[in-house]
Amino acid sequence: MSGQLHLNAFVMPNGHHEAAWRHPSADPRRARTLRHYADIARTAERGKLDSLFLADGVALWGNVKHNAHSHFEPLTLLSALAATTDHIGLIATASTTYNEPYHLARKFASLDHLSGGRAGWNIVTSAGEDEARNFNLGSRPGHELRYERATEFVDVAKKLWDSWDDDAAVIDKASGICADTGRIRPIEHDGEYFRVRGPLNIERPVQGYPLLVQAGSSETGKEYAARHAEAVFTAQQTFAEGKAFYDDVKGRLAKYGRASDEIKILPGISPIIGRTEAEARAREAELNALIAPEYGLRQLSQLLDHDVTRYPLDGPLPDVGSFTEGAQSRFDLVVGLARRENLTIRQLLERLAGGRGHRVFAGTPARIADELEHWFTGGAADGFNVMPPILPGGLDEFVDLVVPELRRRGLFRTEYTGTTLREHYGLARPVNRNRVKEHAA
């Protein structure tokens, strides 16, 4: 692996550790304000990170009694952050299961124009049962059905973004022609899940399409990523697992006519930073001491689709089966971790508290940089989804201590060299498929 790695800041209100809101350095009330997120975005931009990412779900997550859940709707928040930043990419999560293509295509085109070409879409199919009940459904659609709908959904969105030629907006005051209507066309999509006439009521995005991101790591998810995604946020606990996932996804690209550099694999890492190894471990222990087991048990039960609240905390994880219609890759990761390391339920809750299955690494800035370099140069990652355990302090430390170490090793940029999110990731602007078809005809 050569070149420089990519870094995305994955932002949660108070940080990624489930007990972050209880830490003395956190301010959960401030996490309900725009200023909180604007400061975080400016910190990420100061570090020249590629992008900032907001997760989302359309139900009240977990056990709100024991955690802080002031999640803003991502596209709304990122539109505001577009006005407070100049360079950093802005990636919002949005579901293909509980939205319509026209609605989301318009929203992402709007964010891309408002930000000058910095929008990204983290495509999710929504695995939670609680989400379905907020949208006139008794239960969530099955895993395969969700991905079938997602495939058609993204195809429709691309058609809508392509419904305007790049030069359709003429803006000729002298002639009185604002737009050349011959360069704007309906898409007339009539598929299994959607019927959409089009065209979109906003010009083609600055980037052509927003950066398309995907986070599912099941077999279906990996195939979907190989077909559609340009960045993948993934969770692996070991280098060997990361390398296997990297090679697997990259190996699927050729069947879709794609090259290996057309998709960036970014595993999640939650770095707990200390001036010494002992200080880093003490910080991790301090956070884990704030865990409320009631919260972790509820989260684990939802993830596994199996009630584990009635089992002894210091006993083993019970038999939870081998399959879920929910988040299949995360189910496999968590069950595999518990079995492989013979963890009790309490130990498993501690392992998941910092990153919900993403890797948590406590160490000095140099040791954290060593790990990132090992995964990057060893072909297990093109970059990383950085998940600070506490915000805003955890991101400040990463930008001020780890990023300079990566730069000293020639692994990360010192300045932005592009203006769009696609340029940050070294990805081409998509051609308009309508124009390609017309030229072919």
Short mmCIF file of all heavy atoms in Angstrom, two decimals, residues 1-2 239 372-381 411:
data_model
loop_
_atom_site.label_atom_id
_atom_site.label_comp_id
_atom_site.label_asym_id
_atom_site.label_seq_id
_atom_site.Cartn_x
_atom_site.Cartn_y
_atom_site.Cartn_z
N MET A 1 0.85 -1.19 0.00
CA MET A 1 0.00 0.00 0.00
C MET A 1 0.89 1.25 0.00
O MET A 1 1.84 1.35 0.77
CB MET A 1 -0.89 0.00 1.24
CG MET A 1 -1.85 1.18 1.30
SD MET A 1 -3.15 1.07 0.05
CE MET A 1 -3.99 -0.43 0.57
N SER A 2 0.61 2.17 -0.89
CA SER A 2 1.38 3.41 -0.96
C SER A 2 0.43 4.58 -0.91
O SER A 2 -0.79 4.44 -0.95
CB SER A 2 2.21 3.44 -2.26
OG SER A 2 1.35 3.38 -3.39
N PHE A 239 -6.37 -7.44 12.80
CA PHE A 239 -5.79 -7.16 11.49
C PHE A 239 -6.17 -8.25 10.49
O PHE A 239 -6.51 -7.96 9.34
CB PHE A 239 -4.27 -7.06 11.60
CG PHE A 239 -3.58 -6.94 10.27
CD1 PHE A 239 -3.45 -5.69 9.64
CD2 PHE A 239 -3.06 -8.05 9.63
CE1 PHE A 239 -2.83 -5.58 8.41
CE2 PHE A 239 -2.44 -7.95 8.39
CZ PHE A 239 -2.32 -6.70 7.78
N LEU A 372 -2.48 2.27 13.02
CA LEU A 372 -3.07 2.76 11.77
C LEU A 372 -2.13 2.49 10.59
O LEU A 372 -2.59 2.06 9.52
CB LEU A 372 -3.37 4.25 11.89
CG LEU A 372 -4.30 4.70 13.02
CD1 LEU A 372 -4.62 6.19 12.88
CD2 LEU A 372 -5.58 3.88 13.07
N GLU A 373 -0.86 2.70 10.79
CA GLU A 373 0.11 2.46 9.72
C GLU A 373 0.16 0.98 9.36
O GLU A 373 0.23 0.62 8.17
CB GLU A 373 1.49 2.95 10.14
CG GLU A 373 2.55 2.77 9.08
CD GLU A 373 3.90 3.37 9.46
OE1 GLU A 373 4.10 3.68 10.65
OE2 GLU A 373 4.75 3.52 8.55
N HIS A 374 0.13 0.12 10.36
CA HIS A 374 0.18 -1.33 10.12
C HIS A 374 -1.01 -1.78 9.27
O HIS A 374 -0.83 -2.50 8.27
CB HIS A 374 0.19 -2.07 11.45
CG HIS A 374 0.09 -3.55 11.33
ND1 HIS A 374 0.91 -4.31 10.53
CD2 HIS A 374 -0.76 -4.45 11.93
CE1 HIS A 374 0.59 -5.59 10.61
NE2 HIS A 374 -0.43 -5.70 11.46
N TRP A 375 -2.20 -1.36 9.62
CA TRP A 375 -3.38 -1.75 8.86
C TRP A 375 -3.34 -1.15 7.45
O TRP A 375 -3.72 -1.81 6.49
CB TRP A 375 -4.66 -1.29 9.59
CG TRP A 375 -5.06 -2.14 10.74
CD1 TRP A 375 -4.28 -2.50 11.81
CD2 TRP A 375 -6.33 -2.76 10.95
NE1 TRP A 375 -5.00 -3.30 12.68
CE2 TRP A 375 -6.26 -3.47 12.18
CE3 TRP A 375 -7.53 -2.76 10.24
CZ2 TRP A 375 -7.34 -4.18 12.69
CZ3 TRP A 375 -8.61 -3.47 10.76
CH2 TRP A 375 -8.51 -4.18 11.96
N PHE A 376 -2.89 0.08 7.34
CA PHE A 376 -2.87 0.76 6.04
C PHE A 376 -1.82 0.15 5.11
O PHE A 376 -2.12 -0.24 3.98
CB PHE A 376 -2.60 2.25 6.25
CG PHE A 376 -2.47 3.04 4.97
CD1 PHE A 376 -3.55 3.16 4.09
CD2 PHE A 376 -1.29 3.68 4.65
CE1 PHE A 376 -3.43 3.90 2.92
CE2 PHE A 376 -1.16 4.42 3.48
CZ PHE A 376 -2.24 4.52 2.61
N THR A 377 -0.59 0.05 5.58
CA THR A 377 0.48 -0.47 4.71
C THR A 377 0.34 -1.97 4.49
O THR A 377 0.84 -2.51 3.50
CB THR A 377 1.87 -0.16 5.31
OG1 THR A 377 1.97 -0.75 6.61
CG2 THR A 377 2.09 1.34 5.41
N GLY A 378 -0.36 -2.66 5.41
CA GLY A 378 -0.54 -4.10 5.27
C GLY A 378 -1.72 -4.48 4.40
O GLY A 378 -1.99 -5.67 4.22
N GLY A 379 -2.44 -3.50 3.86
CA GLY A 379 -3.54 -3.78 2.95
C GLY A 379 -4.81 -4.23 3.65
O GLY A 379 -5.59 -5.01 3.08
N ALA A 380 -5.06 -3.70 4.86
CA ALA A 380 -6.32 -4.00 5.55
C ALA A 380 -7.22 -2.78 5.62
O ALA A 380 -8.34 -2.87 6.12
CB ALA A 380 -6.03 -4.50 6.96
N ALA A 381 -6.75 -1.63 5.13
CA ALA A 381 -7.53 -0.39 5.21
C ALA A 381 -6.97 0.64 4.25
O ALA A 381 -5.76 0.68 3.99
CB ALA A 381 -7.50 0.16 6.63
N LEU A 411 2.08 9.85 6.00
CA LEU A 411 0.87 9.06 5.78
C LEU A 411 -0.40 9.90 5.65
O LEU A 411 -1.45 9.35 5.33
CB LEU A 411 0.69 8.07 6.94
CG LEU A 411 1.75 6.97 7.06
CD1 LEU A 411 1.55 6.19 8.34
CD2 LEU A 411 1.70 6.05 5.85
#
